Amino acid sequence: MKCVISVLGKDRSGVVAAIATTLADCGANIDDISQTILGEGRMFSMTMMVTLDPAVADFNTVQERLAADGERLSMQVLIQREDVFQAMYEI
């Protein structure tokens, strides 16, 4: 299952590592990643396209684990199914 993950919050070290570790633990593959620092280094933004392996961890499990990462990192971490994400932006 393809999903889009977005991460936003105050820049700090270890964000990519924490999210990538959770995804690896859940058997997910990072297909594409883009990140940037906004506002003179104060705001971190990252978007990932990932493929989940439901045999290892289903969508809800991955969502819960990423939400826990977000709380630990004091960042907003959201995951959406790609089809839902695409439908939201259709004209």
Side-chain angles (χ1 to χ4, degrees), residues 1-3 28-33 48-52:
M1 169 190 305
K2 295 275 189 185
C3 295
N29 185 60
I30 299 170
D31 302 318
D32 198 2
I33 182 171
M48 303 170 120
M49 178 68 71
V50 302
T51 302
L52 302 186

Side-chain angles (χ1 to χ4, degrees), residues 5 7 16 30 32-36 44-49:
I5 297 172
V7 180
V16 176
I30 299 170
D32 198 2
I33 182 171
S34 175
Q35 64 183 44
T36 190
F44 176 86
S45 174
M46 177 171 67
T47 304
M48 303 170 120
M49 178 68 71

